[in-house]
Amino acid sequence: MNTLICIAAIALTYPVVDTGQTTAYGNNKGQDAHYSANPPSYCDNGDGTISDQVTGLMWTKDPGEKMTLSEAERGAKKCRTGGYSDWRLPSVKELYSLIQLNGTDPDPMGTDTTHLKPFIDDSIFNFSYGKEENGERIIDSQFATSTKYVSTTMGGNETMFGVNFADGRIKGYPISSRRGEGRYYVIYVRNNPDYGINQFKDNGDGTITDEATGLTWMKADSGTGMDWPSALEYAENLELAGYSDWRLPNAKELQSIIDYSRSPDTTDSAAIDPIFDCTPIKNEGGDKDFAHYWTSSTHVGERTTDTAVYFAFGRALGWMNDHRSGKKILMDVHGAGAQRSDPKVGDASTFPYGRGPQGDVIRIENMVRCVRGGTLEPSTERPETSLKSPTTSTAEQSKARNFNIDRFFTRFDTNQDGKVSKAEFTGPEKRFNKIDSDKDGLISREEAEKSPSRKNPEPAGDPRPFDSSAVASVSELSPNTSKPNIIFIYADDMGWTGTSIEMIQNNPETKSDFYKTPNLEKLASQGMVFSQAYAPGPMCTPSRVGILTGKTPAEMHITTPGNGKSDSSKQLITPQFSPNLPNIPTIGTMLKREGYTTALFGKWHIGSNDHAGNHGFDAHDGSTGNKTNGTNEDPKEIFSLTERGIQFMTDCVKSGTPFYLQLSHYAVHTPTQSRPESINKFENSIAGKIHNQANYAGMTWDLDESIGQVLQALENLHISDNTYVVFMSDNGAPGNRRKPNNSPLFAGKGSLYEGGIRIPFIINGPDIKTGYCTEAVSGTDLFSTFAAWAGAETEPDESVSLIPLLQNKTDLFKRTHALLFHYPHYGKGPEQKPQTALIVSNWKLLKDWETNTYQLFDLSNDLEEKNDLSKSNEVKLGEMIQLMDQRLSETQAQLPIQNPDYTPPSEY
């Protein structure tokens, strides 16, 4: 069982399971095999039931003998397999979650099944091909569902959608016909009744997000049809709503947005929620209809690999013989929502009456609706490559190639002058610029034929060794086991002096006088300690946003937990905002693009219903906040988080993939809880002047113990030499004048004084110089640092790679932006009020928005921020104010404003 995926997918109500395709057919990038998703993970419960660890569904294992639909419906009510009485006949979306498109489509006339692979995991489920002794073909392995077609097929038959695990398709099957009631294999399902139910949200930018699957879609479709290679190219070059990571959906992704309650005949619409725009067409009979839509999945058969999977969002038409007239009649044979396959390239007119037993209409130029996000990311595995296409000769491929060029000019050369201008071209501008090699603003036929991103179809023959350059322009698809693993241990509310490590070398006042953290001491002794490290913000949510995106919370407009609701009794009206993280690159999405498997266990606390799975993390715990579900033995979930993290590491080592693991602990945030034995360890110890709470010391000890477990696991897995371990807190400890928990720093959490934002920060790993770094750094710098370790390129921004500092090459460390800290809100203490701070090296400017006054500190001589230099050094004050105003302007920071209804308190 893959624990990693269990945790990741079940956080969504409708996780899409991977198709299982690992072979790329030809050199076109963007195929199903080039991306990986939630691999299937099953548990045989030993009682006739199978638990799907990805979807949360439980299944009966044995389909038994075939039955009619009415028998299947009655059987669900009577079924008691495994001792359960709540079995149901699955919907087509539930049943399709089990399909694996790495099977082999049999020759319909064949009889030998020994060399075949079904489209379901037959090592888990009992599976049978059609039985010759019953007069069946081997492809007759259709399974029943509860989903009935809202229209009819075959000229008026009531129809049920079924999944055929022998040939890997969804079709509408007549419930009864002239030959009697149809008979089907049946397995039942229970649990997760929300599986298959979409939760669409219109983002207002031409995209639709399904919060049930985590996928984001084009609201409109491509508007025109195109062959399969062109569809892949269209998706890979699409730029929409500020994103360029669109892809052609795989079969299971596209099936997830079909609305089986709709059809052209009953709702005069496509089989998709009307929140989407769907281009109508005229079908082969001249009637209003809707298109087939390509997927990135190839349908592999005994006889061919030159067909790709599509879904019919309109009628799934076929040419059938009229038994009365003997003529071919066009009719809906499989229903809107069916999954079939069409040739990838060629001329549809060569199939005047379709093909197959039902004369399936062939449309080689199908439409496209692109997708992004979710758990599907560039594959970390090197796809196998097959260039064989037994039914397509070199001459035929050359003919198809010329046909595509002809079609290109027919589509775009509207004035028929033999060239395509930018005004005529309706595809992505980036695509036009690639084809226009001489940059004269026109595409000639010669340029189109030599287009570097359009690959000539390969001749039939033996597969060549995989060529990654033919698949992608960057190394996003190739595994690189030399890439380092990254572990980020994120403490909650741990102050700068909250450990037993001196944060300034040889200064005992900069460590705790009571808490003990021997494992952190070990980590620090073998790594680098940053003496002047800052959290991106003074509270949890903004800091976490800054870490994940590499951007200052001021720019993200997420500067406090919640939404920044104002108190009308205060002098200032403070900004309000949406606390949800927008769909921009994060550490998760950036590292997944570089081939990493990613996990974020523990606290999320960004937004109300958001979670890490929406932002690039394969494994996560959902929309978590401060609340834990701990036990007496593990009240803060410290050890359960760590245990899952170690299992995640183990799984990644076994699969040979580099990993990113973020352990976002709930400790040492209140309530103060720890194991009884840890509290006992400190109850009889001599209390310190600053720190003296035994239960808080015990909680800190527990957190440190878990870090020791992580370090030991790295040794056991033999990956210490290729793993970076980063430790940091999200903000300072709670503190004020009466409780100077952060001493010698002033104030605490929620304040922009040093006690609120200066935090412990340690990095350990390969090629790191041990010792101390005194440069001012921020948690936002982790984004660029992790990117550099992974070999990713990032744009110059707030985040700056720390690698020069880690290698003692301080002169190479260049920060282009002064460190900005913005908290335009009121908190619970006197120091928790609207403030902005700017740090340049050891200089710090602090603005009080209520009084519109400034304080200036030289932190190299004044850690406690006691000596305000704003009056004695007006030159530096002016420089810093100008820089602060510049940073607030360029980040478009939200500012507090005067409250017109404010009444100052009376002096009497």
Side-chain angles (χ1 to χ4, degrees), residues 606-722:
I606 303 174
S608 53
N609 297 310
D610 206 358
H611 54 72
N614 292 333
H615 302 283
F617 292 93
D618 299 305
H620 61 96
D621 290 346
S623 186
T624 52
N626 289 320
K627 185 178 179 181
T628 65
N629 296 304
T631 63
N632 290 334
E633 295 77 22
D634 187 17
K636 301 296 286 189
E637 294 189 53
I638 290 171
F639 298 101
S640 63
L641 282 182
T642 302
E643 181 181 356
R644 285 184 284 129
I646 292 172
Q647 182 61 56
F648 168 82
M649 291 159 52
T650 304
D651 291 340
C652 291
V653 170
K654 288 179 179 178
S655 65
T657 58
F659 64 80
Y660 173 79
L661 169 62
Q662 182 168 328
L663 295 174
S664 289
H665 284 283
Y666 301 100
V668 289
H669 193 288
T670 56
T672 306
Q673 299 168 310
S674 66
R675 298 175 299 178
E677 60 269 29
S678 300
I679 298 175
N680 294 339
K681 184 182 291 291
F682 293 93
E683 281 186 331
N684 297 319
S685 300
I686 299 174
K689 293 181 180 180
I690 305 300
H691 301 142
N692 49 41
Q693 294 177 286
N695 56 353
Y696 200 98
M699 181 165 58
T700 303
W701 177 268
D702 285 348
L703 179 61
D704 186 78
E705 280 265 287
S706 73
I707 293 170
Q709 293 176 356
V710 171
L711 299 180
Q712 184 59 53
L714 293 178
E715 295 293 333
N716 296 342
L717 293 169
H718 307 292
I719 56 173
S720 296
D721 293 342
N722 194 39

Side-chain angles (χ1 to χ4, degrees), residues 782-794:
L782 290 180
F783 186 95
S784 290
T785 306
F786 294 170
W789 285 339
E793 293 184 4
T794 57

Side-chain angles (χ1 to χ4, degrees), residues 37-295:
N38 297 315
S41 178
Y42 303 112
C43 178
D44 190 328
N45 300 313
D47 58 359
T49 69
I50 304 295
S51 291
D52 186 334
Q53 306 291 348
V54 177
T55 64
L57 299 170
M58 179 183 285
W59 297 89
T60 54
K61 179 175 182 174
D62 188 0
E65 296 297 319
K66 289 183 177 179
M67 58 182 81
T68 65
L69 180 59
S70 58
E71 289 171 342
E73 291 168 339
R74 292 194 299 270
K77 298 177 181 179
K78 296 178 181 178
C79 184
R80 295 295 182 271
T81 302
Y84 302 102
S85 59
D86 58 345
W87 294 103
R88 63 183 181 271
L89 189 63
S91 70
V92 68
K93 289 193 173 184
E94 289 173 322
L95 190 58
Y96 196 67
S97 72
L98 300 178
I99 205 161
Q100 288 293 286
L101 290 174
N102 53 9
T104 307
D105 185 5
D107 182 340
M109 306 307 294
T111 57
D112 181 12
T113 64
T114 57
H115 61 292
L116 296 177
K117 182 178 182 180
F119 290 77
I120 190 172
D121 190 344
D122 61 346
S123 68
I124 296 292
F125 293 91
N126 294 347
F127 172 81
S128 296
Y129 287 98
K131 298 175 181 177
E132 287 186 82
E133 60 269 29
N134 295 337
E136 299 173 342
R137 303 165 300 171
I138 61 174
I139 63 171
D140 289 330
S141 187
Q142 302 92 346
F143 281 59
T145 79
S146 61
T147 304
K148 295 180 180 178
Y149 188 29
V150 292
S151 184
T152 60
T153 61
M154 299 294 181
N157 287 329
E158 184 181 9
T159 298
M160 168 210 74
F161 283 104
V163 179
N164 190 330
F165 290 112
D167 67 8
R169 292 174 172 85
I170 296 174
K171 293 180 180 178
Y173 298 105
I175 296 172
S176 62
S177 65
R178 293 183 292 110
R179 291 176 288 184
E181 289 187 86
R183 304 187 71 83
Y184 309 96
Y185 287 119
V186 175
I187 54 176
Y188 297 118
V189 70
R190 60 182 299 274
N191 289 345
N192 195 1
D194 292 329
Y195 195 85
I197 300 175
N198 304 106
Q199 300 176 40
F200 293 125
K201 173 187 174 185
D202 191 328
N203 300 314
D205 58 359
T207 70
I208 304 291
T209 295
D210 185 355
E211 295 179 344
T213 62
L215 298 169
T216 297
W217 296 87
M218 294 170 60
K219 181 175 183 177
D221 54 34
S222 58
T224 57
M226 59 193 79
D227 62 22
W228 192 69
S230 298
L232 294 171
E233 182 180 348
Y234 174 93
E236 292 292 299
N237 286 287
L238 178 66
E239 294 183 358
L240 174 65
Y243 301 104
S244 59
D245 58 343
W246 296 95
R247 61 181 183 271
L248 193 63
N250 70 31
K252 297 178 90 167
E253 289 178 309
L254 188 59
Q255 197 256 357
S256 75
I257 61 170
I258 292 175
D259 186 345
Y260 286 95
S261 70
R262 310 182 72 84
S263 78
D265 290 329
T266 54
T267 59
D268 193 33
S269 67
I272 191 170
D273 192 291
I275 196 172
F276 292 92
D277 297 330
C278 206
T279 304
I281 65 169
K282 278 192 176 181
N283 66 25
E284 289 72 9
D287 297 321
K288 177 187 175 182
D289 210 336
F290 297 89
H292 301 166
Y293 285 72
W294 281 124
T295 77

Side-chain angles (χ1 to χ4, degrees), residues 169 226-229 292 294 299 304-310 340-348 350-351 354-355 360-366 389 391-392:
R169 292 174 172 85
M226 59 193 79
D227 62 22
W228 192 69
H292 301 166
W294 281 124
H299 211 115
T304 181
T305 61
D306 67 348
T307 61
V309 173
Y310 71 82
R340 306 193 301 199
S341 58
D342 273 344
K344 297 174 181 176
V345 296
D347 187 349
T350 60
F351 304 92
R355 67 179 186 180
D360 294 0
V361 163
I362 299 301
R363 293 181 191 149
I364 294 173
E365 293 193 357
N366 295 316
S389 183
T391 60
T392 308

